Protein backbone atom coordinates (compact mmCIF):
# COMPACT_ATOMS: atom_id res chain seq x y z
CA UNK A 1 0.00 0.00 0.00
CA UNK A 2 1.18 3.52 -0.71
CA UNK A 3 2.30 5.83 2.06
CA UNK A 4 0.59 9.16 2.72
CA UNK A 5 2.26 12.26 1.29
CA UNK A 6 5.13 13.52 3.41
CA UNK A 7 5.44 10.30 5.43
CA UNK A 8 8.16 7.72 4.99
CA UNK A 9 9.22 5.24 7.69
CA UNK A 10 12.36 6.56 9.32
CA UNK A 11 15.61 4.69 9.84
CA UNK A 12 14.71 4.15 13.50
CA UNK A 13 11.43 2.53 12.44
CA UNK A 14 13.28 0.15 10.12
CA UNK A 15 15.92 -0.62 12.77
CA UNK A 16 13.43 -1.37 15.55
CA UNK A 17 11.20 -3.28 13.15
CA UNK A 18 14.07 -5.61 12.26
CA UNK A 19 14.73 -6.60 15.89
CA UNK A 20 13.81 -10.24 16.62
CA UNK A 21 10.72 -10.95 18.70
CA UNK A 22 9.79 -14.00 20.72
CA UNK A 23 6.96 -15.11 22.99
CA UNK A 24 7.27 -16.57 26.48
CA UNK A 25 8.31 -19.93 25.01
CA UNK A 26 11.04 -18.11 23.04
CA UNK A 27 9.35 -18.98 19.74
CA UNK A 28 9.86 -16.37 16.99
CA UNK A 29 7.00 -13.91 16.49
CA UNK A 30 6.52 -12.03 13.19
CA UNK A 31 7.19 -8.28 13.28
CA UNK A 32 3.64 -7.46 12.26
CA UNK A 33 1.66 -5.09 14.44
CA UNK A 34 -1.09 -7.26 15.92
CA UNK A 35 -1.82 -6.11 19.49
CA UNK A 36 -4.93 -8.30 19.69
CA UNK A 37 -2.91 -11.52 19.30
CA UNK A 38 -1.55 -13.21 22.40
CA UNK A 39 1.83 -14.08 20.88
CA UNK A 40 2.48 -10.47 19.95
CA UNK A 41 1.44 -9.29 23.41
CA UNK A 42 3.87 -11.76 24.95
CA UNK A 43 6.64 -10.50 22.66
CA UNK A 44 6.13 -6.92 23.85
CA UNK A 45 5.92 -8.04 27.49
CA UNK A 46 9.19 -9.90 26.99
CA UNK A 47 10.79 -6.69 25.72
CA UNK A 48 9.54 -4.88 28.82
CA UNK A 49 10.76 -7.76 31.01
CA UNK A 50 14.31 -7.13 29.78
CA UNK A 51 14.23 -3.90 31.78
CA UNK A 52 13.13 -5.90 34.83
CA UNK A 53 16.06 -8.21 34.26
CA UNK A 54 18.36 -5.19 34.07
CA UNK A 55 16.93 -3.87 37.34
CA UNK A 56 17.51 -7.20 39.04
CA UNK A 57 21.10 -7.41 37.85
CA UNK A 58 21.73 -3.82 38.93
CA UNK A 59 20.39 -4.46 42.42
CA UNK A 60 22.43 -7.67 42.73
CA UNK A 61 25.59 -5.87 41.59
CA UNK A 62 24.99 -2.99 44.01
CA UNK A 63 24.30 -5.38 46.89
CA UNK A 64 27.42 -7.47 46.19
CA UNK A 65 29.56 -4.36 45.86
CA UNK A 66 28.32 -2.86 49.13
CA UNK A 67 28.63 -6.16 51.02
CA UNK A 68 32.19 -6.48 49.80
CA UNK A 69 32.87 -2.88 50.78
CA UNK A 70 31.45 -3.29 54.28
CA UNK A 71 32.82 -6.73 55.09
CA UNK A 72 36.12 -6.94 53.23
CA UNK A 73 37.74 -3.56 53.80
CA UNK A 74 40.81 -3.59 56.10
CA UNK A 75 40.28 -2.23 59.61
CA UNK A 76 41.52 1.28 60.28
CA UNK A 77 43.90 1.95 63.19
CA UNK A 78 42.15 3.52 66.17
CA UNK A 79 42.41 7.29 66.19
CA UNK A 80 43.63 7.36 62.61
CA UNK A 81 42.41 10.38 60.68
CA UNK A 82 44.34 9.69 57.50
CA UNK A 83 41.85 9.27 54.61
CA UNK A 84 41.92 5.93 52.88
CA UNK A 85 43.59 5.86 49.49
CA UNK A 86 41.28 6.42 46.55
CA UNK A 87 38.80 8.47 48.57
CA UNK A 88 38.93 11.43 46.24
CA UNK A 89 38.43 9.17 43.25
CA UNK A 90 35.31 7.68 44.84
CA UNK A 91 33.82 11.10 45.55
CA UNK A 92 34.57 12.41 42.10
CA UNK A 93 33.19 9.30 40.43
CA UNK A 94 29.95 9.85 42.32
CA UNK A 95 29.87 13.51 41.28
CA UNK A 96 30.52 12.66 37.61
CA UNK A 97 27.77 10.04 37.72
CA UNK A 98 25.30 12.55 39.16
CA UNK A 99 26.25 15.13 36.54
CA UNK A 100 25.69 12.49 33.86
CA UNK A 101 22.29 11.90 35.45
CA UNK A 102 21.54 15.63 35.17
CA UNK A 103 22.47 15.47 31.49
CA UNK A 104 20.06 12.58 31.10
CA UNK A 105 17.36 14.65 32.79
CA UNK A 106 17.80 17.36 30.15
CA UNK A 107 17.48 14.70 27.44
CA UNK A 108 14.38 13.41 29.20
CA UNK A 109 12.71 16.81 29.21
CA UNK A 110 13.37 17.13 25.48
CA UNK A 111 12.07 13.64 24.77
CA UNK A 112 8.97 14.24 26.86
CA UNK A 113 8.25 17.46 24.97
CA UNK A 114 8.87 15.80 21.60
CA UNK A 115 6.53 12.92 22.44
CA UNK A 116 3.86 15.37 23.57
CA UNK A 117 4.20 17.33 20.32
CA UNK A 118 3.77 14.16 18.26
CA UNK A 119 0.66 13.10 20.17
CA UNK A 120 -0.74 16.63 19.88
CA UNK A 121 -0.25 16.47 16.11
CA UNK A 122 -2.08 13.14 16.09
CA UNK A 123 -4.98 14.60 18.08
CA UNK A 124 -5.15 17.67 15.82
CA UNK A 125 -5.30 15.47 12.72
CA UNK A 126 -8.10 13.38 14.26
CA UNK A 127 -10.06 16.52 15.19
CA UNK A 128 -9.69 17.92 11.67
CA UNK A 129 -10.83 14.60 10.18
CA UNK A 130 -13.81 14.60 12.54
CA UNK A 131 -14.65 18.14 11.41
CA UNK A 132 -14.54 17.03 7.76
CA UNK A 133 -16.77 14.03 8.39
CA UNK A 134 -19.21 16.08 10.48
CA UNK A 135 -19.37 18.75 7.78
CA UNK A 136 -20.17 16.09 5.16
CA UNK A 137 -22.98 14.71 7.32
CA UNK A 138 -24.32 18.21 8.01
CA UNK A 139 -24.27 19.27 4.34
CA UNK A 140 -25.98 16.05 3.25
CA UNK A 141 -28.65 16.39 5.93
CA UNK A 142 -29.27 20.06 5.13
CA UNK A 143 -29.43 19.44 1.36
CA UNK A 144 -31.78 16.45 1.67
CA UNK A 145 -34.04 18.39 4.03
CA UNK A 146 -34.15 21.36 1.65
CA UNK A 147 -35.02 19.15 -1.31
CA UNK A 148 -37.66 17.33 0.73
CA UNK A 149 -39.19 20.59 1.88
CA UNK A 150 -39.24 21.84 -1.73
CA UNK A 151 -41.03 18.68 -2.84
CA UNK A 152 -43.61 18.94 -0.08
CA UNK A 153 -44.34 22.67 -0.41
CA UNK A 154 -43.23 24.58 -3.51
CA UNK A 155 -43.59 21.75 -6.04
CA UNK A 156 -46.95 20.72 -4.59
CA UNK A 157 -48.17 24.31 -4.77
CA UNK A 158 -46.82 24.62 -8.30
CA UNK A 159 -48.69 21.49 -9.41
CA UNK A 160 -51.92 22.86 -7.97
CA UNK A 161 -51.44 26.21 -9.74
CA UNK A 162 -50.61 24.56 -13.07
CA UNK A 163 -53.40 21.98 -12.88
CA UNK A 164 -55.31 23.42 -15.91
CA UNK A 165 -52.29 22.73 -18.16
CA UNK A 166 -51.51 19.02 -18.21
CA UNK A 167 -48.13 19.36 -19.93
CA UNK A 168 -46.98 21.93 -17.33
CA UNK A 169 -48.12 19.67 -14.49
CA UNK A 170 -46.13 16.84 -16.09
CA UNK A 171 -43.05 19.08 -16.15
CA UNK A 172 -43.55 19.96 -12.46
CA UNK A 173 -43.94 16.28 -11.58
CA UNK A 174 -40.78 15.55 -13.54
CA UNK A 175 -38.96 18.13 -11.40
CA UNK A 176 -40.42 16.41 -8.31
CA UNK A 177 -39.06 13.03 -9.41
CA UNK A 178 -35.65 14.52 -10.14
CA UNK A 179 -35.58 16.21 -6.72
CA UNK A 180 -36.47 12.95 -4.99
CA UNK A 181 -33.82 11.10 -7.00
CA UNK A 182 -31.19 13.73 -6.14
CA UNK A 183 -32.12 13.54 -2.44
CA UNK A 184 -31.82 9.75 -2.51
CA UNK A 185 -28.41 9.86 -4.15
CA UNK A 186 -27.13 12.62 -1.85
CA UNK A 187 -28.32 10.79 1.25
CA UNK A 188 -25.96 7.94 0.42
CA UNK A 189 -22.96 10.31 0.59
CA UNK A 190 -23.10 10.57 4.40
CA UNK A 191 -20.99 7.42 4.71
CA UNK A 192 -19.81 8.04 8.31
CA UNK A 193 -23.22 8.83 9.76
CA UNK A 194 -24.03 6.53 12.69
CA UNK A 195 -20.60 4.89 12.79
CA UNK A 196 -19.58 4.30 16.44
CA UNK A 197 -15.90 4.87 15.73
CA UNK A 198 -15.68 8.63 16.28
CA UNK A 199 -12.37 10.41 15.55
CA UNK A 200 -13.42 13.00 18.14
CA UNK A 201 -13.71 10.35 20.85
CA UNK A 202 -10.39 8.82 19.84
CA UNK A 203 -8.71 12.24 19.97
CA UNK A 204 -10.17 12.94 23.42
CA UNK A 205 -9.00 9.56 24.74
CA UNK A 206 -5.52 10.06 23.30
CA UNK A 207 -5.28 13.56 24.78
CA UNK A 208 -6.48 12.30 28.17
CA UNK A 209 -3.86 9.54 28.32
CA UNK A 210 -1.13 11.85 27.01
CA UNK A 211 -1.88 14.50 29.62
CA UNK A 212 -1.26 12.07 32.48
CA UNK A 213 1.73 10.49 30.74
CA UNK A 214 3.35 13.90 30.28
CA UNK A 215 2.66 14.83 33.91
CA UNK A 216 4.05 11.53 35.21
CA UNK A 217 7.29 12.00 33.29
CA UNK A 218 7.65 15.59 34.45
CA UNK A 219 7.28 14.44 38.07
CA UNK A 220 9.82 11.66 37.52
CA UNK A 221 12.29 14.06 35.92
CA UNK A 222 11.87 16.62 38.70
CA UNK A 223 12.25 13.91 41.35
CA UNK A 224 15.52 12.71 39.85
CA UNK A 225 16.74 16.28 39.46
CA UNK A 226 16.07 16.97 43.14
CA UNK A 227 17.81 13.73 44.13
CA UNK A 228 20.89 14.64 42.07
CA UNK A 229 21.06 18.21 43.36
CA UNK A 230 20.57 17.32 47.02
CA UNK A 231 23.07 14.49 46.73
CA UNK A 232 25.66 16.91 45.33
CA UNK A 233 24.80 19.32 48.15
CA UNK A 234 25.30 16.55 50.72
CA UNK A 235 28.68 15.69 49.24
CA UNK A 236 29.74 19.34 49.22
CA UNK A 237 28.59 19.90 52.82
CA UNK A 238 29.77 16.43 53.88
CA UNK A 239 26.38 15.90 55.52
CA UNK A 240 25.91 12.24 56.32
CA UNK A 241 22.20 12.40 57.07
CA UNK A 242 21.46 14.15 53.76
CA UNK A 243 23.58 11.68 51.80
CA UNK A 244 21.85 8.73 53.52
CA UNK A 245 18.39 10.09 52.71
CA UNK A 246 19.36 10.73 49.10
CA UNK A 247 20.82 7.22 48.86
CA UNK A 248 17.42 5.78 49.75
CA UNK A 249 15.73 8.15 47.28
CA UNK A 250 18.26 7.15 44.60
CA UNK A 251 17.26 3.53 45.07
CA UNK A 252 13.60 4.47 44.55
CA UNK A 253 14.36 6.51 41.43
CA UNK A 254 16.53 3.67 40.11
CA UNK A 255 13.53 1.31 40.27
CA UNK A 256 11.32 3.91 38.56
CA UNK A 257 13.91 4.48 35.84
CA UNK A 258 14.15 0.81 34.98
CA UNK A 259 10.35 0.56 35.01
CA UNK A 260 9.95 3.49 32.64
CA UNK A 261 12.66 2.01 30.44
CA UNK A 262 10.65 -1.19 30.04
CA UNK A 263 7.50 0.72 29.08
CA UNK A 264 9.41 2.90 26.63
CA UNK A 265 11.17 -0.03 24.99
CA UNK A 266 7.97 -2.04 24.53
CA UNK A 267 6.09 1.00 23.22
CA UNK A 268 8.88 1.93 20.80
CA UNK A 269 9.06 -1.61 19.40
CA UNK A 270 5.27 -1.85 18.98
CA UNK A 271 5.11 1.61 17.43
CA UNK A 272 7.85 0.73 14.94
CA UNK A 273 5.88 -2.33 13.85
CA UNK A 274 2.80 -0.17 13.30
CA UNK A 275 4.67 2.61 11.50
CA UNK A 276 6.48 0.26 9.13
CA UNK A 277 3.16 -0.53 7.38
CA UNK A 278 0.20 1.23 9.04
CA UNK A 279 -2.43 0.86 6.28
CA UNK A 280 -3.43 -2.81 6.83
CA UNK A 281 -3.89 -2.36 10.57
CA UNK A 282 -5.91 0.85 10.18
CA UNK A 283 -8.09 -0.82 7.56
CA UNK A 284 -8.66 -3.93 9.69
CA UNK A 285 -9.35 -1.90 12.83
CA UNK A 286 -11.89 0.27 11.05
CA UNK A 287 -13.53 -2.84 9.60
CA UNK A 288 -13.88 -4.33 13.08
CA UNK A 289 -15.17 -1.13 14.68
CA UNK A 290 -17.64 -0.25 11.94
CA UNK A 291 -18.70 -3.76 10.95
CA UNK A 292 -18.25 -2.93 7.28
CA UNK A 293 -18.45 -5.36 4.43
CA UNK A 294 -17.04 -5.29 0.94
CA UNK A 295 -20.38 -4.10 -0.41
CA UNK A 296 -21.91 -0.67 -0.44
CA UNK A 297 -23.66 -1.16 2.90
CA UNK A 298 -22.13 -2.35 6.14
CA UNK A 299 -23.47 -5.38 7.95
CA UNK A 300 -25.09 -3.06 10.48
CA UNK A 301 -26.54 -0.68 7.94
CA UNK A 302 -23.69 1.81 7.90
CA UNK A 303 -22.51 3.17 4.58
CA UNK A 304 -18.80 2.56 5.13
CA UNK A 305 -17.30 0.10 2.67
CA UNK A 306 -13.82 -1.27 2.18
CA UNK A 307 -13.65 0.61 -1.11
CA UNK A 308 -14.25 3.89 0.71
CA UNK A 309 -11.56 3.17 3.31
CA UNK A 310 -9.05 2.13 0.66
CA UNK A 311 -9.87 5.27 -1.31
CA UNK A 312 -9.02 7.53 1.63
CA UNK A 313 -6.03 5.52 2.88
CA UNK A 314 -4.35 5.28 -0.52
CA UNK A 315 -5.67 8.30 -2.44
CA UNK A 316 -4.03 7.43 -5.75
CA UNK A 317 -5.12 6.70 -9.28
CA UNK A 318 -5.22 2.98 -8.64
CA UNK A 319 -8.35 3.42 -6.50
CA UNK A 320 -11.39 5.05 -8.08
CA UNK A 321 -13.69 7.43 -6.28
CA UNK A 322 -16.48 5.27 -4.77
CA UNK A 323 -18.81 8.29 -4.71
CA UNK A 324 -18.41 9.14 -8.39
CA UNK A 325 -21.59 7.41 -9.52
CA UNK A 326 -23.74 9.05 -6.85
CA UNK A 327 -22.19 12.45 -7.53
CA UNK A 328 -22.77 12.10 -11.27
CA UNK A 329 -26.40 11.08 -10.84
CA UNK A 330 -27.00 13.87 -8.33
CA UNK A 331 -25.43 16.48 -10.59
CA UNK A 332 -27.48 15.22 -13.53
CA UNK A 333 -30.69 15.36 -11.50
CA UNK A 334 -29.96 18.90 -10.31
CA UNK A 335 -29.21 19.98 -13.89
CA UNK A 336 -32.52 18.47 -15.06
CA UNK A 337 -34.38 20.28 -12.29
CA UNK A 338 -32.73 23.53 -13.29
CA UNK A 339 -33.68 23.13 -16.95
CA UNK A 340 -37.26 22.16 -16.09
CA UNK A 341 -37.65 25.16 -13.80
CA UNK A 342 -36.38 27.45 -16.56
CA UNK A 343 -38.90 25.95 -18.97
CA UNK A 344 -41.74 26.37 -16.45
CA UNK A 345 -40.71 29.94 -15.77
CA UNK A 346 -40.77 30.68 -19.49
CA UNK A 347 -44.05 28.88 -20.24
CA UNK A 348 -46.11 29.07 -17.03
CA UNK A 349 -45.47 32.51 -15.56
CA UNK A 350 -47.10 34.45 -18.45
CA UNK A 351 -50.27 32.33 -18.10
CA UNK A 352 -50.19 31.73 -14.31
CA UNK A 353 -48.63 34.72 -12.48
CA UNK A 354 -49.21 33.01 -9.13
CA UNK A 355 -46.65 30.35 -10.17
CA UNK A 356 -43.83 32.89 -10.03
CA UNK A 357 -43.49 32.81 -6.24
CA UNK A 358 -43.01 29.02 -5.86
CA UNK A 359 -40.71 29.03 -8.89
CA UNK A 360 -38.49 31.71 -7.32
CA UNK A 361 -38.44 29.78 -4.06
CA UNK A 362 -37.49 26.62 -5.95
CA UNK A 363 -34.68 28.42 -7.76
CA UNK A 364 -33.33 29.70 -4.45
CA UNK A 365 -33.45 26.20 -2.99
CA UNK A 366 -31.74 24.86 -6.10
CA UNK A 367 -28.95 27.45 -5.85
CA UNK A 368 -28.29 26.56 -2.20
CA UNK A 369 -28.39 22.87 -3.08
CA UNK A 370 -25.86 23.32 -5.88
CA UNK A 371 -23.57 25.27 -3.54
CA UNK A 372 -23.77 22.48 -0.95
CA UNK A 373 -23.19 19.95 -3.71
CA UNK A 374 -19.94 21.61 -4.80
CA UNK A 375 -18.76 21.69 -1.17
CA UNK A 376 -19.56 17.99 -0.85
CA UNK A 377 -17.57 17.22 -4.00
CA UNK A 378 -14.53 18.96 -2.49
CA UNK A 379 -14.93 17.38 0.96
CA UNK A 380 -15.54 13.88 -0.37
CA UNK A 381 -12.33 13.97 -2.39
CA UNK A 382 -9.60 11.95 -0.72
CA UNK A 383 -7.13 14.83 -0.46
CA UNK A 384 -8.42 16.29 2.81
CA UNK A 385 -8.84 13.10 4.87
CA UNK A 386 -5.70 11.54 3.37
CA UNK A 387 -3.75 14.64 4.40
CA UNK A 388 -5.08 14.25 7.95
CA UNK A 389 -4.05 10.58 7.86
CA UNK A 390 -0.53 11.55 6.82
CA UNK A 391 -0.31 14.23 9.52
CA UNK A 392 -1.41 11.72 12.15
CA UNK A 393 1.24 9.23 11.00
CA UNK A 394 3.97 11.87 10.99
CA UNK A 395 3.08 12.95 14.50
CA UNK A 396 2.94 9.39 15.82
CA UNK A 397 5.75 7.75 13.85
CA UNK A 398 8.24 10.62 13.70
CA UNK A 399 7.89 13.05 16.60
CA UNK A 400 6.36 10.68 19.15
CA UNK A 401 8.72 7.82 18.32
CA UNK A 402 11.74 10.12 18.40
CA UNK A 403 10.61 11.42 21.78
CA UNK A 404 10.25 7.85 23.06
CA UNK A 405 13.81 7.08 21.99
CA UNK A 406 15.09 10.15 23.84
CA UNK A 407 13.12 9.07 26.91
CA UNK A 408 14.68 5.62 26.57
CA UNK A 409 18.14 7.24 26.50
CA UNK A 410 17.20 9.27 29.59
CA UNK A 411 16.14 6.13 31.46
CA UNK A 412 19.35 4.36 30.46
CA UNK A 413 21.56 7.25 31.59
CA UNK A 414 19.53 7.64 34.76
CA UNK A 415 19.79 3.96 35.64
CA UNK A 416 23.54 3.92 35.02
CA UNK A 417 24.17 7.15 36.93
CA UNK A 418 22.08 6.12 39.92
CA UNK A 419 23.63 2.65 40.06
CA UNK A 420 27.10 4.24 40.09
CA UNK A 421 26.00 6.73 42.75
CA UNK A 422 24.55 3.97 44.95
CA UNK A 423 27.87 2.14 44.80
CA UNK A 424 29.89 5.31 45.52
CA UNK A 425 27.80 7.11 48.13
CA UNK A 426 28.40 4.67 51.05
CA UNK A 427 32.15 4.87 50.42
CA UNK A 428 31.91 8.63 50.12
CA UNK A 429 30.16 9.19 53.43
CA UNK A 430 32.58 6.77 55.09
CA UNK A 431 35.32 9.23 54.13
CA UNK A 432 33.59 12.16 55.80
CA UNK A 433 35.50 13.44 58.85
CA UNK A 434 34.12 12.22 62.21
CA UNK A 435 31.69 14.63 63.75
CA UNK A 436 32.84 16.45 66.90
CA UNK A 437 30.21 17.57 69.34
CA UNK A 438 31.94 20.90 69.80
CA UNK A 439 33.15 21.57 66.28
CA UNK A 440 30.34 23.92 65.49
CA UNK A 441 30.31 25.85 68.80
CA UNK A 442 31.35 29.45 68.99
CA UNK A 443 34.78 30.17 70.46
CA UNK A 444 33.36 33.13 72.43
CA UNK A 445 30.57 31.02 73.94
CA UNK A 446 31.11 30.90 77.76
CA UNK A 447 29.61 27.40 77.81
CA UNK A 448 32.31 26.17 75.44
CA UNK A 449 34.55 23.83 77.52
CA UNK A 450 37.70 25.16 75.84
CA UNK A 451 36.70 28.74 76.56
CA UNK A 452 35.82 27.86 80.20
CA UNK A 453 39.23 26.25 80.69
CA UNK A 454 41.01 29.35 79.38
CA UNK A 455 38.86 31.51 81.68
CA UNK A 456 39.89 29.47 84.77
CA UNK A 457 43.55 29.73 83.82
CA UNK A 458 43.23 33.49 83.44
CA UNK A 459 41.68 33.83 86.92
CA UNK A 460 44.41 31.79 88.56
CA UNK A 461 47.10 33.91 86.97
CA UNK A 462 45.58 36.98 88.61
Amino acid sequence: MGAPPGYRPSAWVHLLHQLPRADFQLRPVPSVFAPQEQEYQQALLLVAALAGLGLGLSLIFIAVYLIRFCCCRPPEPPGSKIPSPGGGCVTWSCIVALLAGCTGIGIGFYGNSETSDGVSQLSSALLHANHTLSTIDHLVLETVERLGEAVRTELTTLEEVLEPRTELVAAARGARRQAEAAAQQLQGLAFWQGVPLSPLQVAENVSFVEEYRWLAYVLLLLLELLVCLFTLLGLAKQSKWLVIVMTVMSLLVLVLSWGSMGLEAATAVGLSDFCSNPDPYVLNLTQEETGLSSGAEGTRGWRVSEDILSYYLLCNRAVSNPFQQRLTLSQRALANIHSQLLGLEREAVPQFPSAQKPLLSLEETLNVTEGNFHQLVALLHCRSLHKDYGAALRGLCEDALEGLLFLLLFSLLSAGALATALCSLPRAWALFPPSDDYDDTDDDDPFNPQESKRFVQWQSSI
Side-chain angles (χ1 to χ4, degrees), residues 80-298:
S80 174
K81 295 187 178 181
I82 301 175
S84 61
C89 180
V90 171
T91 303
W92 277 108
S93 65
C94 183
I95 292 174
V96 171
L98 292 174
L99 292 178
C102 292
T103 303
I105 292 171
I107 295 175
F109 273 110
Y110 175 77
N112 195 36
S113 176
E114 196 73 9
T115 304
S116 181
D117 291 342
V119 176
S120 298
Q121 187 174 352
L122 169 64
S123 299
S124 299
L126 288 172
L127 291 175
H128 190 269
N130 182 77
H131 175 72
T132 301
L133 295 172
S134 301
T135 304
I136 292 173
D137 292 343
H138 173 72
L139 287 174
V140 169
L141 180 62
E142 179 185 359
T143 305
V144 171
E145 287 182 351
R146 281 183 175 273
L147 289 174
E149 184 68 20
V151 169
R152 290 189 301 269
T153 56
E154 284 87 355
L155 283 173
T156 301
T157 303
L158 189 61
E159 289 177 10
E160 293 175 354
V161 172
L162 301 178
E163 189 175 0
R165 294 285 302 274
T166 307
E167 68 278 8
L168 297 180
V169 173
R173 288 177 180 175
R176 174 195 289 269
R177 288 192 298 270
Q178 293 295 330
E180 292 173 348
Q184 183 179 3
Q185 295 297 330
L186 289 173
Q187 195 170 6
L189 297 177
F191 65 95
W192 205 260
Q193 188 175 7
V195 175
L197 181 61
S198 171
L200 176 62
Q201 186 63 40
V202 175
E204 290 178 350
N205 293 338
V206 168
S207 299
F208 177 79
V209 174
E210 171 58 21
E211 180 179 355
Y212 284 96
R213 185 212 63 81
W214 179 85
L215 181 61
Y217 266 100
V218 168
L219 294 177
L220 176 62
L221 290 164
L222 291 177
L223 176 62
E224 183 173 350
L225 180 62
L226 291 176
V227 168
C228 291
L229 293 180
F230 278 103
T231 303
L232 291 172
L233 179 63
L235 292 174
K237 294 289 187 180
Q238 295 189 344
S239 174
K240 281 190 175 182
W241 70 268
L242 184 57
V243 172
I244 291 173
V245 170
M246 289 302 105
T247 301
V248 176
M249 293 299 297
S250 297
L251 182 61
L252 172 63
V253 178
L254 177 66
V255 175
L256 294 177
S257 297
W258 278 106
S260 65
M261 188 187 303
L263 291 176
E264 293 150 9
T267 305
V269 170
L271 194 57
S272 69
D273 292 340
F274 169 77
C275 295
S276 63
N277 190 15
D279 294 345
Y281 177 75
V282 173
L283 182 60
N284 293 333
L285 177 65
T286 312
Q287 287 177 350
E288 294 175 1
E289 293 295 330
T290 60
L292 61 85
S293 66
S294 59
E297 298 286 336

